Amino acid sequence: AFSPDGRHVTYLGGDPTSLTRQLFAFDCATGETRAVLGGGVGDEAKLSKEEQLQRERARIMSTGVTSYAWAAEANRILVPLDGALYVLDGVDEAAAPPRRLFDPADARWAAVGSGPLLDAKISADGSLVCFVWADEVCCCAVPAGAEADAATPRRLTSGARGEGKTNGLADYCAQEEMDRY
């Protein structure tokens, strides 16, 4: 994917003998490629059942960095990694290191939800991230500073938790048969 300013092309790649992926950035001006973010869970067995099923339906076999999204109008990337959400403010060498936006394992958020984060999306201006957490749609604002774990999640929907439903995600048939995730 091109960065919003068109200066970089980002992609997932890695060692061809491994299924673990990293995020790379190609600088269009200099022709240099560098690893931006790597690592992450190398063992799919460590993922929750919900995460495993979602990955299966999307046909994702790799581990590590398996997805990322640029904000359409800002130089910011959202990367779900190891069950948490990370943001990167740019991919050039001078950019700040990745910062953890939100980790659902943190006990501070037990009243809002628990379990894995699914289907995280970043807003066009990069100021807001929404995701499905514990069967409900939640969001958190991306703080301006470089502080890790500074985002506070807020639940936007209610009524699905404990009812065998999930707000914010397509049902199994839509995902599996119609490729609507």
Side-chain angles (χ1 to χ4, degrees), residues 6-144:
R7 292 181 44 217
H8 296 91
V9 176
T10 53
Y11 62 94
L12 298 177
D15 181 357
T17 63
S18 169
L19 289 177
T20 302
R21 297 290 170 245
Q22 299 178 47
L23 178 62
F24 288 91
F26 171 78
D27 188 320
C28 296
T30 66
E32 295 179 15
T33 299
R34 68 181 200 90
V36 176
L37 185 62
V41 174
D43 183 9
E44 193 172 336
K46 293 181 181 177
L47 299 172
S48 71
K49 189 67 172 172
E50 293 91 346
E51 290 168 307
Q52 289 176 10
L53 290 172
Q54 187 176 37
R55 290 166 49 86
E56 182 180 311
R57 287 190 288 272
R59 311 295 191 264
I60 297 172
M61 297 185 63
S62 57
T63 58
V65 180
T66 58
S67 66
Y68 68 96
W70 279 99
E73 301 166 3
N75 198 24
R76 183 168 284 162
I77 301 177
L78 171 68
V79 181
L81 182 64
D82 287 343
L85 297 175
Y86 290 82
V87 290
L88 291 87
D89 292 321
V91 293
D92 51 5
E93 300 253 348
R99 57 191 164 117
R100 189 170 57 199
L101 174 68
F102 174 66
D103 188 350
D106 192 324
R108 293 180 290 174
W109 317 125
V112 181
S114 64
L117 301 174
L118 302 173
D119 200 32
K121 306 286 186 204
I122 191 165
S123 65
D125 66 359
S127 66
L128 190 66
V129 172
C130 294
F131 47 90
V132 175
W133 185 33
D135 300 329
E136 302 292 355
V137 177
C138 299
C139 73
C140 56
V142 178

